[in-house]
Amino acid sequence: MLIVSCTTDSIDNTESINGKVSSKKSEKLARLMQNLTPENPANIYDLAGNLHNDILDIYLAGNYQYTTIAQISQQVEAIAAANNDLMLLNLGTNLPINLDIIQETVNNPQAKLDEAIANSTMTNLAKGSLSSFMNDVLLWENDEYGAIYQSIISYESSVMTNPQFNNEEKRIILTTSSIVRHSLYYAKERKDEDWDSSVGNRVGGLSGAFNNSSIAIRRSLVTGIMINNLVTE
């Protein structure tokens, strides 16, 4: 169990976070009414991507000035703990997100991507599919989001209907693709100046998905936020 001490920047309490949650839910409803959404209802793991963006909304709204992975992780955990929907993904297990893995991903995301897939228990077919998808995303990054969205949901459909993938492989791949799809939406359609979807952000989600969706979301966020901080320094 990782124990992280409080820093000079105090972590927001539950009451403060709940106020921000309420405000962001209202904003999200307004966007939904304009049909500006990244959802794919066909993906039964799409809650992962939704929660990624919900928690990111609240974090960025806080204008936190954290400079270390430990500080960022502590605030993300506090926000996540206030989100009841995240509990649906824990499956009774609330594991720490492993700060060392996040640091390794920040240092060399491509190497961590290759390592995570290679060391997984997935079949070679599933490993190849997921690796190809992550490489394809790099090629899609500069496209309009509408085209990216169509490419991702097309891939997701092929995964869902592939009889050679077992249920666990589908869970890992579809959780990863959901986080990728929502993160790219945040960067492109929201045009949020404080967020730029990165390889590390996506690899964090992938490596965490091998554990469960909750870790995928939290690891993706902490990795992405840390990388964004380094880029904007």
Side-chain angles (χ1 to χ4, degrees):
M1 176 66 71
L2 288 164
I3 299 175
V4 183
S5 60
C6 289
T7 63
T8 53
D9 292 310
S10 61
I11 301 303
D12 274 2
N13 59 32
T14 301
E15 182 178 351
S16 175
I17 290 171
N18 284 341
K20 292 173 182 174
V21 170
S22 177
S23 173
K24 288 303 174 181
K25 282 185 176 178
S26 296
E27 292 178 18
K28 185 177 181 182
L29 178 59
R31 294 198 301 274
L32 284 169
M33 294 176 68
Q34 299 175 45
N35 294 320
L36 299 175
T37 67
E39 282 82 4
N40 178 16
N43 182 344
I44 62 173
Y45 301 101
D46 214 34
L47 181 59
N50 270 311
L51 289 176
H52 172 281
N53 284 11
D54 286 349
I55 296 171
L56 182 59
D57 262 339
I58 298 161
Y59 185 94
L60 294 181
N63 293 313
Y64 305 115
Q65 302 300 311
Y66 304 128
T67 58
T68 69
I69 289 173
Q71 292 170 332
I72 295 167
S73 176
Q74 195 172 3
Q75 186 62 67
V76 166
E77 292 288 352
I79 297 170
N83 194 315
N84 293 331
D85 288 341
L86 193 67
M87 299 304 294
L88 299 174
L89 302 178
N90 280 339
L91 302 177
T93 305
N94 190 19
L95 300 171
I97 61 173
N98 195 321
L99 304 188
D100 290 337
I101 289 179
I102 292 175
Q103 184 64 66
E104 291 169 6
T105 305
V106 170
N107 293 344
N108 194 333
Q110 187 60 49
K112 201 62 186 176
L113 167 64
D114 296 339
E115 176 188 317
I117 294 177
N119 293 342
S120 76
T121 59
M122 294 194 302
T123 61
N124 287 335
L125 180 66
K127 288 179 180 180
S129 175
L130 183 52
S131 180
S132 293
F133 168 70
M134 295 296 282
N135 289 331
D136 286 343
V137 173
L138 290 174
L139 302 177
W140 300 335
E141 275 186 314
N142 295 325
D143 294 344
E144 291 295 321
Y145 182 73
I148 296 173
Y149 175 85
Q150 291 299 327
S151 295
I152 293 177
I153 64 170
S154 176
Y155 172 70
E156 290 175 330
S157 177
S158 71
V159 170
M160 288 183 275
T161 58
N162 191 327
Q164 294 180 280
F165 295 154
N166 61 42
N167 289 337
E168 177 66 1
E169 290 169 338
K170 290 180 179 181
R171 181 195 65 78
I172 293 167
I173 295 172
L174 295 173
T175 297
T176 300
S177 63
S178 173
I179 291 175
V180 169
R181 178 164 29 82
H182 282 77
S183 178
L184 285 168
Y185 169 85
Y186 206 107
K188 285 182 168 288
E189 290 301 300
R190 293 286 303 279
K191 297 178 174 61
D192 197 301
E193 295 179 359
D194 295 324
W195 180 254
D196 184 18
S197 178
S198 64
V199 177
N201 166 242
R202 299 191 288 268
V203 174
L206 179 149
S207 65
F210 289 112
N211 297 107
N212 62 46
S213 294
S214 174
I215 293 179
I217 295 164
R218 292 178 287 143
R219 189 177 289 174
S220 176
L221 285 165
V222 176
T223 306
I225 292 167
M226 185 64 194
I227 290 174
N228 270 270
N229 287 353
L230 294 173
V231 170
T232 56
E233 280 183 351

